[in-house]
Amino acid sequence: MVRVRFAPSPTGHLHIGGARTALFNWLFARHHNGKFILRIEDTDRSRSTEEYIESIIEAMQWLGLDWDEGPFRQTDRIEIYRKYAYRLLNENKAYRCYCTPEELEERRQKAMKEGKPPRYDRRCRQIGEVLDKPFAIRFKMPLEGETVVDDLVKGKVIFKNSEIEDLVILRSDGTPTYNFCVVVDDFEMRITHVIRGEDHLNNTPKQIHIYHALGINPPQFAHIPMILGADKARLSKRHGATSILTYRDEGYLPEALINFLARLGWSYGDKEIFTRQELIEYFNLEQVGKANAIFNAEKLLWLNSEHIKLTPEERLFELVKPFLIKEGYLKEVEILDINWACKAIKSLKERCRTLKELAHAMRYYILDYIEIDPKAREKYINSDTIPILREVTERLSKVEDFTQDNIEKIFMDIVNEKGLKLGQVAQPVRVAITGNTVSPSIYEVLEIVGKEKVIKRLRRIIDGT
RNA sequence: GGUCCCAUCGUCUAGCCAGGUCAAGGACGUAGCCCUCUCAAGGCUAAAACACGGGUUCGAAUCCCGUUGGGACCGCCA
């Protein structure tokens, strides 16, 4: 049984990189009919907050990355880690370190300045007796030999044990540290595959030794490449929308983001567009690449538009509602006729790349009156076009059955009778009805807006009010 | 500074493990054309890459070594 976990630390919102790690774990679990576990690594009490925990969970839920166990919190499990740490101490596999953080920091700075590796010099490892001073517990790393990490993505990676420092596993305040908690938790939670960012690759040999000291077998490791910003630096706030929830608020579909994230570092031949089910079916670690990837916002936008096209109008309507309300086009209690709304959305869905854009475009279907773009007005509403608009208004107002076909007939009649080009009629009308020079087919727009509003808006333009 | 990872179009990538079918394929973006009531969508076309240098081999994008470049880690952070 495959058991994987996503173990974010709540020191910030869920960002692109974290979400991709979560996704790969989730996909791997679902593909193998295994379990996906959520674990909150909040042992850094000074930086972890409840707010971030909630935010991460909200983002996971929005993405549809559901977990089977958890969320577990490491702060609830402190006693467990402490127990294991003291076990190692008693078995002489760890030792008390009496150096203070200040001393260590000082030595580190000095080492850096002298160009030496800023590593702990193991000075307390020699102390035989127990001193009456505050202490941290350090793990005894082997002093020689090699450790091989047989990584599912990177292959065999070899580390010299002499390069690995004696890391602190329990702080002097009694709290455990990251590298120790992961091992204990992954063991206790019976994790079979650890899929995480490549930034943890260097930690892996340390963890492997802790596994061995505890007398347990390490899980399989898979270190996936990093996601970098356009400047090739690690993705951070500087690169704009970094929180997953921001993408939700900007009108991205979760399935589009999932699709995008999946293709960042993983591929399935030439296929670009995947449904959630397809990803579960096709995902594997073998096809995960080794090189870092740069976050490409343009492609995400394109994928979003593709997924909007794939989404049924009914669902789009539900998804776009919050945006309509936020934009003020719709009051919260107001109810739109669903069939009408779907017709409106259908006309717009292949023209919009985000739900935000969709909501904005829908304004001219919903509102009674719309603002006319000054440039559009200048170009298309003038003494030449007012007579045309008058003619259109007059004829449209006589139409009983306000359908696309009937509307088109009227436009064509006017064009033929007056010897005009269709654009000479369509564009002024488009500006009068939508407020801009861009919209779906004008006949379609008129039908959806409806006779009453169409006539009202045209009259308003003609009257110059 | 040390250790580790990585290297195909601007970007995501296929191909690499099992060398020849690759004068390197797809996608985003860009440019042009077609369609056309506008804008999209769609269709067609174009520009655009095997980082560099050695080696192995009849043959290398694919295997080996080095160089360069990028990234990560080196905490009583995770």
PDB file of all heavy atoms in Angstrom, chain B residues 51-62:
ATOM      1  P     A B  51      22.986  21.524 -24.930  1.00  0.00           P
ATOM      2  OP1   A B  51      23.833  20.332 -24.901  1.00  0.00           O
ATOM      3  OP2   A B  51      22.162  21.944 -23.764  1.00  0.00           O
ATOM      4  O5'   A B  51      23.915  22.760 -25.354  1.00  0.00           O
ATOM      5  C5'   A B  51      23.355  24.036 -25.610  1.00  0.00           C
ATOM      6  C4'   A B  51      24.395  25.082 -25.315  1.00  0.00           C
ATOM      7  O4'   A B  51      24.426  25.321 -23.885  1.00  0.00           O
ATOM      8  C3'   A B  51      25.815  24.680 -25.706  1.00  0.00           C
ATOM      9  O3'   A B  51      26.087  25.040 -27.040  1.00  0.00           O
ATOM     10  C2'   A B  51      26.648  25.493 -24.708  1.00  0.00           C
ATOM     11  O2'   A B  51      26.794  26.831 -25.110  1.00  0.00           O
ATOM     12  C1'   A B  51      25.766  25.438 -23.454  1.00  0.00           C
ATOM     13  N9    A B  51      26.070  24.305 -22.590  1.00  0.00           N
ATOM     14  C8    A B  51      25.239  23.271 -22.253  1.00  0.00           C
ATOM     15  N7    A B  51      25.783  22.396 -21.443  1.00  0.00           N
ATOM     16  C5    A B  51      27.056  22.893 -21.218  1.00  0.00           C
ATOM     17  C6    A B  51      28.123  22.428 -20.436  1.00  0.00           C
ATOM     18  N6    A B  51      28.074  21.318 -19.707  1.00  0.00           N
ATOM     19  N1    A B  51      29.258  23.164 -20.429  1.00  0.00           N
ATOM     20  C2    A B  51      29.305  24.282 -21.153  1.00  0.00           C
ATOM     21  N3    A B  51      28.359  24.823 -21.937  1.00  0.00           N
ATOM     22  C4    A B  51      27.245  24.079 -21.916  1.00  0.00           C
ATOM     23  P     C B  52      26.952  24.037 -27.941  1.00  0.00           P
ATOM     24  OP1   C B  52      26.872  24.535 -29.343  1.00  0.00           O
ATOM     25  OP2   C B  52      26.610  22.646 -27.631  1.00  0.00           O
ATOM     26  O5'   C B  52      28.424  24.329 -27.394  1.00  0.00           O
ATOM     27  C5'   C B  52      28.998  25.629 -27.490  1.00  0.00           C
ATOM     28  C4'   C B  52      30.311  25.645 -26.757  1.00  0.00           C
ATOM     29  O4'   C B  52      30.069  25.433 -25.338  1.00  0.00           O
ATOM     30  C3'   C B  52      31.248  24.506 -27.138  1.00  0.00           C
ATOM     31  O3'   C B  52      31.981  24.825 -28.307  1.00  0.00           O
ATOM     32  C2'   C B  52      32.146  24.424 -25.910  1.00  0.00           C
ATOM     33  O2'   C B  52      33.117  25.438 -25.881  1.00  0.00           O
ATOM     34  C1'   C B  52      31.126  24.664 -24.784  1.00  0.00           C
ATOM     35  N1    C B  52      30.575  23.413 -24.237  1.00  0.00           N
ATOM     36  C2    C B  52      31.364  22.677 -23.332  1.00  0.00           C
ATOM     37  O2    C B  52      32.491  23.100 -23.044  1.00  0.00           O
ATOM     38  N3    C B  52      30.879  21.535 -22.805  1.00  0.00           N
ATOM     39  C4    C B  52      29.657  21.110 -23.142  1.00  0.00           C
ATOM     40  N4    C B  52      29.213  19.985 -22.594  1.00  0.00           N
ATOM     41  C5    C B  52      28.842  21.834 -24.077  1.00  0.00           C
ATOM     42  C6    C B  52      29.339  22.972 -24.596  1.00  0.00           C
ATOM     43  P     G B  53      32.432  23.647 -29.286  1.00  0.00           P
ATOM     44  OP1   G B  53      33.034  24.284 -30.473  1.00  0.00           O
ATOM     45  OP2   G B  53      31.341  22.659 -29.434  1.00  0.00           O
ATOM     46  O5'   G B  53      33.585  22.970 -28.424  1.00  0.00           O
ATOM     47  C5'   G B  53      34.752  23.725 -28.109  1.00  0.00           C
ATOM     48  C4'   G B  53      35.661  22.896 -27.255  1.00  0.00           C
ATOM     49  O4'   G B  53      35.072  22.701 -25.945  1.00  0.00           O
ATOM     50  C3'   G B  53      35.885  21.484 -27.744  1.00  0.00           C
ATOM     51  O3'   G B  53      36.811  21.444 -28.806  1.00  0.00           O
ATOM     52  C2'   G B  53      36.413  20.815 -26.475  1.00  0.00           C
ATOM     53  O2'   G B  53      37.748  21.139 -26.215  1.00  0.00           O
ATOM     54  C1'   G B  53      35.504  21.447 -25.410  1.00  0.00           C
ATOM     55  N9    G B  53      34.334  20.618 -25.135  1.00  0.00           N
ATOM     56  C8    G B  53      33.072  20.733 -25.656  1.00  0.00           C
ATOM     57  N7    G B  53      32.241  19.819 -25.201  1.00  0.00           N
ATOM     58  C5    G B  53      33.010  19.064 -24.341  1.00  0.00           C
ATOM     59  C6    G B  53      32.666  17.936 -23.548  1.00  0.00           C
ATOM     60  O6    G B  53      31.574  17.362 -23.451  1.00  0.00           O
ATOM     61  N1    G B  53      33.757  17.466 -22.813  1.00  0.00           N
ATOM     62  C2    G B  53      35.017  18.012 -22.846  1.00  0.00           C
ATOM     63  N2    G B  53      35.941  17.425 -22.089  1.00  0.00           N
ATOM     64  N3    G B  53      35.358  19.073 -23.570  1.00  0.00           N
ATOM     65  C4    G B  53      34.307  19.534 -24.280  1.00  0.00           C
ATOM     66  P     G B  54      36.977  20.109 -29.626  1.00  0.00           P
ATOM     67  OP1   G B  54      37.669  20.406 -30.879  1.00  0.00           O
ATOM     68  OP2   G B  54      35.686  19.377 -29.659  1.00  0.00           O
ATOM     69  O5'   G B  54      37.961  19.343 -28.657  1.00  0.00           O
ATOM     70  C5'   G B  54      38.136  17.970 -28.836  1.00  0.00           C
ATOM     71  C4'   G B  54      38.623  17.353 -27.550  1.00  0.00           C
ATOM     72  O4'   G B  54      37.805  17.809 -26.434  1.00  0.00           O
ATOM     73  C3'   G B  54      38.437  15.852 -27.544  1.00  0.00           C
ATOM     74  O3'   G B  54      39.501  15.238 -28.236  1.00  0.00           O
ATOM     75  C2'   G B  54      38.372  15.538 -26.053  1.00  0.00           C
ATOM     76  O2'   G B  54      39.631  15.546 -25.449  1.00  0.00           O
ATOM     77  C1'   G B  54      37.515  16.715 -25.572  1.00  0.00           C
ATOM     78  N9    G B  54      36.083  16.420 -25.697  1.00  0.00           N
ATOM     79  C8    G B  54      35.163  17.047 -26.492  1.00  0.00           C
ATOM     80  N7    G B  54      33.957  16.552 -26.387  1.00  0.00           N
ATOM     81  C5    G B  54      34.090  15.520 -25.470  1.00  0.00           C
ATOM     82  C6    G B  54      33.124  14.612 -24.943  1.00  0.00           C
ATOM     83  O6    G B  54      31.930  14.558 -25.219  1.00  0.00           O
ATOM     84  N1    G B  54      33.687  13.723 -24.042  1.00  0.00           N
ATOM     85  C2    G B  54      35.019  13.715 -23.680  1.00  0.00           C
ATOM     86  N2    G B  54      35.366  12.784 -22.799  1.00  0.00           N
ATOM     87  N3    G B  54      35.927  14.547 -24.152  1.00  0.00           N
ATOM     88  C4    G B  54      35.394  15.421 -25.027  1.00  0.00           C
ATOM     89  P     G B  55      39.132  14.351 -29.500  1.00  0.00           P
ATOM     90  OP1   G B  55      40.357  14.100 -30.277  1.00  0.00           O
ATOM     91  OP2   G B  55      37.955  14.935 -30.172  1.00  0.00           O
ATOM     92  O5'   G B  55      38.698  13.002 -28.767  1.00  0.00           O
ATOM     93  C5'   G B  55      39.633  12.406 -27.870  1.00  0.00           C
ATOM     94  C4'   G B  55      38.915  11.562 -26.856  1.00  0.00           C
ATOM     95  O4'   G B  55      37.842  12.295 -26.249  1.00  0.00           O
ATOM     96  C3'   G B  55      38.213  10.344 -27.423  1.00  0.00           C
ATOM     97  O3'   G B  55      39.134   9.318 -27.709  1.00  0.00           O
ATOM     98  C2'   G B  55      37.285   9.988 -26.257  1.00  0.00           C
ATOM     99  O2'   G B  55      37.971   9.337 -25.219  1.00  0.00           O
ATOM    100  C1'   G B  55      36.852  11.382 -25.799  1.00  0.00           C
ATOM    101  N9    G B  55      35.558  11.764 -26.365  1.00  0.00           N
ATOM    102  C8    G B  55      35.291  12.783 -27.255  1.00  0.00           C
ATOM    103  N7    G B  55      34.020  12.879 -27.564  1.00  0.00           N
ATOM    104  C5    G B  55      33.411  11.858 -26.823  1.00  0.00           C
ATOM    105  C6    G B  55      32.051  11.465 -26.747  1.00  0.00           C
ATOM    106  O6    G B  55      31.082  11.960 -27.325  1.00  0.00           O
ATOM    107  N1    G B  55      31.884  10.383 -25.894  1.00  0.00           N
ATOM    108  C2    G B  55      32.891   9.756 -25.202  1.00  0.00           C
ATOM    109  N2    G B  55      32.537   8.732 -24.436  1.00  0.00           N
ATOM    110  N3    G B  55      34.159  10.120 -25.260  1.00  0.00           N
ATOM    111  C4    G B  55      34.341  11.169 -26.090  1.00  0.00           C
ATOM    112  P     U B  56      38.928   8.413 -28.996  1.00  0.00           P
ATOM    113  OP1   U B  56      40.124   7.570 -29.175  1.00  0.00           O
ATOM    114  OP2   U B  56      38.414   9.254 -30.109  1.00  0.00           O
ATOM    115  O5'   U B  56      37.736   7.474 -28.496  1.00  0.00           O
ATOM    116  C5'   U B  56      37.933   6.601 -27.387  1.00  0.00           C
ATOM    117  C4'   U B  56      36.659   5.869 -27.091  1.00  0.00           C
ATOM    118  O4'   U B  56      35.668   6.806 -26.586  1.00  0.00           O
ATOM    119  C3'   U B  56      35.985   5.256 -28.314  1.00  0.00           C
ATOM    120  O3'   U B  56      36.570   3.995 -28.630  1.00  0.00           O
ATOM    121  C2'   U B  56      34.538   5.117 -27.821  1.00  0.00           C
ATOM    122  O2'   U B  56      34.377   4.014 -26.972  1.00  0.00           O
ATOM    123  C1'   U B  56      34.372   6.420 -27.024  1.00  0.00           C
ATOM    124  N1    U B  56      33.806   7.509 -27.843  1.00  0.00           N
ATOM    125  C2    U B  56      32.430   7.530 -28.019  1.00  0.00           C
ATOM    126  O2    U B  56      31.693   6.697 -27.541  1.00  0.00           O
ATOM    127  N3    U B  56      31.957   8.560 -28.792  1.00  0.00           N
ATOM    128  C4    U B  56      32.700   9.552 -29.388  1.00  0.00           C
ATOM    129  O4    U B  56      32.129  10.415 -30.048  1.00  0.00           O
ATOM    130  C5    U B  56      34.110   9.466 -29.164  1.00  0.00           C
ATOM    131  C6    U B  56      34.606   8.471 -28.416  1.00  0.00           C
ATOM    132  P     U B  57      37.095   3.779 -30.112  1.00  0.00           P
ATOM    133  OP1   U B  57      37.746   2.448 -30.105  1.00  0.00           O
ATOM    134  OP2   U B  57      37.815   4.978 -30.622  1.00  0.00           O
ATOM    135  O5'   U B  57      35.736   3.661 -30.918  1.00  0.00           O
ATOM    136  C5'   U B  57      34.796   2.635 -30.579  1.00  0.00           C
ATOM    137  C4'   U B  57      33.484   2.922 -31.257  1.00  0.00           C
ATOM    138  O4'   U B  57      32.916   4.148 -30.723  1.00  0.00           O
ATOM    139  C3'   U B  57      33.588   3.199 -32.751  1.00  0.00           C
ATOM    140  O3'   U B  57      33.697   2.000 -33.503  1.00  0.00           O
ATOM    141  C2'   U B  57      32.267   3.929 -33.002  1.00  0.00           C
ATOM    142  O2'   U B  57      31.187   3.027 -33.055  1.00  0.00           O
ATOM    143  C1'   U B  57      32.150   4.788 -31.734  1.00  0.00           C
ATOM    144  N1    U B  57      32.668   6.166 -31.935  1.00  0.00           N
ATOM    145  C2    U B  57      31.754   7.129 -32.325  1.00  0.00           C
ATOM    146  O2    U B  57      30.569   6.900 -32.482  1.00  0.00           O
ATOM    147  N3    U B  57      32.286   8.369 -32.544  1.00  0.00           N
ATOM    148  C4    U B  57      33.604   8.749 -32.404  1.00  0.00           C
ATOM    149  O4    U B  57      33.933   9.910 -32.630  1.00  0.00           O
ATOM    150  C5    U B  57      34.486   7.692 -31.991  1.00  0.00           C
ATOM    151  C6    U B  57      34.000   6.466 -31.782  1.00  0.00           C
ATOM    152  P     C B  58      34.742   2.022 -34.726  1.00  0.00           P
ATOM    153  OP1   C B  58      34.779   0.624 -35.186  1.00  0.00           O
ATOM    154  OP2   C B  58      35.983   2.729 -34.352  1.00  0.00           O
ATOM    155  O5'   C B  58      33.972   2.887 -35.814  1.00  0.00           O
ATOM    156  C5'   C B  58      34.670   3.395 -36.953  1.00  0.00           C
ATOM    157  C4'   C B  58      33.672   3.961 -37.933  1.00  0.00           C
ATOM    158  O4'   C B  58      32.802   2.884 -38.392  1.00  0.00           O
ATOM    159  C3'   C B  58      32.711   4.976 -37.336  1.00  0.00           C
ATOM    160  O3'   C B  58      33.277   6.279 -37.338  1.00  0.00           O
ATOM    161  C2'   C B  58      31.517   4.886 -38.277  1.00  0.00           C
ATOM    162  O2'   C B  58      31.715   5.593 -39.474  1.00  0.00           O
ATOM    163  C1'   C B  58      31.481   3.377 -38.572  1.00  0.00           C
ATOM    164  N1    C B  58      30.584   2.623 -37.679  1.00  0.00           N
ATOM    165  C2    C B  58      29.202   2.774 -37.859  1.00  0.00           C
ATOM    166  O2    C B  58      28.786   3.552 -38.722  1.00  0.00           O
ATOM    167  N3    C B  58      28.369   2.092 -37.072  1.00  0.00           N
ATOM    168  C4    C B  58      28.849   1.257 -36.138  1.00  0.00           C
ATOM    169  N4    C B  58      27.982   0.596 -35.393  1.00  0.00           N
ATOM    170  C5    C B  58      30.241   1.100 -35.932  1.00  0.00           C
ATOM    171  C6    C B  58      31.077   1.787 -36.728  1.00  0.00           C
ATOM    172  P     G B  59      33.128   7.242 -36.096  1.00  0.00           P
ATOM    173  OP1   G B  59      33.787   8.527 -36.388  1.00  0.00           O
ATOM    174  OP2   G B  59      33.513   6.467 -34.901  1.00  0.00           O
ATOM    175  O5'   G B  59      31.560   7.487 -36.080  1.00  0.00           O
ATOM    176  C5'   G B  59      30.967   8.363 -37.063  1.00  0.00           C
ATOM    177  C4'   G B  59      29.472   8.331 -36.950  1.00  0.00           C
ATOM    178  O4'   G B  59      29.009   6.965 -37.067  1.00  0.00           O
ATOM    179  C3'   G B  59      28.911   8.792 -35.615  1.00  0.00           C
ATOM    180  O3'   G B  59      28.777  10.204 -35.607  1.00  0.00           O
ATOM    181  C2'   G B  59      27.546   8.113 -35.574  1.00  0.00           C
ATOM    182  O2'   G B  59      26.596   8.810 -36.356  1.00  0.00           O
ATOM    183  C1'   G B  59      27.862   6.772 -36.253  1.00  0.00           C
ATOM    184  N9    G B  59      28.136   5.696 -35.311  1.00  0.00           N
ATOM    185  C8    G B  59      29.364   5.163 -34.985  1.00  0.00           C
ATOM    186  N7    G B  59      29.290   4.183 -34.125  1.00  0.00           N
ATOM    187  C5    G B  59      27.925   4.077 -33.867  1.00  0.00           C
ATOM    188  C6    G B  59      27.234   3.183 -33.005  1.00  0.00           C
ATOM    189  O6    G B  59      27.705   2.282 -32.280  1.00  0.00           O
ATOM    190  N1    G B  59      25.870   3.409 -33.034  1.00  0.00           N
ATOM    191  C2    G B  59      25.234   4.365 -33.786  1.00  0.00           C
ATOM    192  N2    G B  59      23.918   4.429 -33.680  1.00  0.00           N
ATOM    193  N3    G B  59      25.868   5.202 -34.597  1.00  0.00           N
ATOM    194  C4    G B  59      27.201   4.997 -34.588  1.00  0.00           C
ATOM    195  P     A B  60      28.999  11.025 -34.232  1.00  0.00           P
ATOM    196  OP1   A B  60      28.917  12.464 -34.576  1.00  0.00           O
ATOM    197  OP2   A B  60      30.186  10.519 -33.520  1.00  0.00           O
ATOM    198  O5'   A B  60      27.693  10.588 -33.379  1.00  0.00           O
ATOM    199  C5'   A B  60      26.356  11.030 -33.694  1.00  0.00           C
ATOM    200  C4'   A B  60      25.709  11.477 -32.407  1.00  0.00           C
ATOM    201  O4'   A B  60      25.900  10.408 -31.470  1.00  0.00           O
ATOM    202  C3'   A B  60      26.374  12.732 -31.855  1.00  0.00           C
ATOM    203  O3'   A B  60      25.539  13.868 -31.807  1.00  0.00           O
ATOM    204  C2'   A B  60      26.930  12.351 -30.480  1.00  0.00           C
ATOM    205  O2'   A B  60      26.374  13.147 -29.474  1.00  0.00           O
ATOM    206  C1'   A B  60      26.402  10.933 -30.255  1.00  0.00           C
ATOM    207  N9    A B  60      27.386  10.006 -29.653  1.00  0.00           N
ATOM    208  C8    A B  60      28.748   9.965 -29.729  1.00  0.00           C
ATOM    209  N7    A B  60      29.299   8.992 -29.041  1.00  0.00           N
ATOM    210  C5    A B  60      28.198   8.342 -28.469  1.00  0.00           C
ATOM    211  C6    A B  60      28.090   7.227 -27.628  1.00  0.00           C
ATOM    212  N6    A B  60      29.144   6.524 -27.200  1.00  0.00           N
ATOM    213  N1    A B  60      26.856   6.856 -27.251  1.00  0.00           N
ATOM    214  C2    A B  60      25.819   7.548 -27.684  1.00  0.00           C
ATOM    215  N3    A B  60      25.790   8.621 -28.486  1.00  0.00           N
ATOM    216  C4    A B  60      27.028   8.965 -28.837  1.00  0.00           C
ATOM    217  P     A B  61      24.464  14.522 -32.388  1.00  0.00           P
ATOM    218  OP1   A B  61      23.619  13.648 -33.194  1.00  0.00           O
ATOM    219  OP2   A B  61      25.224  15.632 -32.995  1.00  0.00           O
ATOM    220  O5'   A B  61      23.557  15.117 -31.207  1.00  0.00           O
ATOM    221  C5'   A B  61      24.009  16.175 -30.394  1.00  0.00           C
ATOM    222  C4'   A B  61      23.251  16.181 -29.095  1.00  0.00           C
ATOM    223  O4'   A B  61      21.838  16.272 -29.374  1.00  0.00           O
ATOM    224  C3'   A B  61      23.414  14.907 -28.267  1.00  0.00           C
ATOM    225  O3'   A B  61      24.529  15.032 -27.414  1.00  0.00           O
ATOM    226  C2'   A B  61      22.113  14.860 -27.485  1.00  0.00           C
ATOM    227  O2'   A B  61      22.146  15.707 -26.361  1.00  0.00           O
ATOM    228  C1'   A B  61      21.122  15.433 -28.491  1.00  0.00           C
ATOM    229  N9    A B  61      20.447  14.411 -29.288  1.00  0.00           N
ATOM    230  C8    A B  61      20.599  14.153 -30.636  1.00  0.00           C
ATOM    231  N7    A B  61      19.842  13.177 -31.066  1.00  0.00           N
ATOM    232  C5    A B  61      19.136  12.766 -29.947  1.00  0.00           C
ATOM    233  C6    A B  61      18.176  11.771 -29.750  1.00  0.00           C
ATOM    234  N6    A B  61      17.725  10.988 -30.709  1.00  0.00           N
ATOM    235  N1    A B  61      17.680  11.620 -28.508  1.00  0.00           N
ATOM    236  C2    A B  61      18.136  12.408 -27.526  1.00  0.00           C
ATOM    237  N3    A B  61      19.040  13.401 -27.588  1.00  0.00           N
ATOM    238  C4    A B  61      19.500  13.537 -28.836  1.00  0.00           C
ATOM    239  P     U B  62      25.083  13.806 -26.622  1.00  0.00           P
ATOM    240  OP1   U B  62      26.110  14.273 -25.690  1.00  0.00           O
ATOM    241  OP2   U B  62      25.411  12.683 -27.554  1.00  0.00           O
ATOM    242  O5'   U B  62      23.777  13.421 -25.813  1.00  0.00           O
ATOM    243  C5'   U B  62      23.801  12.515 -24.732  1.00  0.00           C
ATOM    244  C4'   U B  62      22.635  11.570 -24.860  1.00  0.00           C
ATOM    245  O4'   U B  62      22.024  11.683 -26.155  1.00  0.00           O
ATOM    246  C3'   U B  62      23.028  10.110 -24.666  1.00  0.00           C
ATOM    247  O3'   U B  62      22.344   9.598 -23.542  1.00  0.00           O
ATOM    248  C2'   U B  62      22.638   9.422 -25.961  1.00  0.00           C
ATOM    249  O2'   U B  62      22.034   8.183 -25.736  1.00  0.00           O
ATOM    250  C1'   U B  62      21.636  10.400 -26.586  1.00  0.00           C
ATOM    251  N1    U B  62      21.622  10.369 -28.050  1.00  0.00           N
ATOM    252  C2    U B  62      20.658   9.568 -28.646  1.00  0.00           C
ATOM    253  O2    U B  62      19.864   8.901 -28.002  1.00  0.00           O
ATOM    254  N3    U B  62      20.671   9.589 -30.012  1.00  0.00           N
ATOM    255  C4    U B  62      21.511  10.303 -30.832  1.00  0.00           C
ATOM    256  O4    U B  62      21.382  10.221 -32.046  1.00  0.00           O
ATOM    257  C5    U B  62      22.483  11.101 -30.143  1.00  0.00           C
ATOM    258  C6    U B  62      22.510  11.108 -28.806  1.00  0.00           C
TER     259        U B  62
END
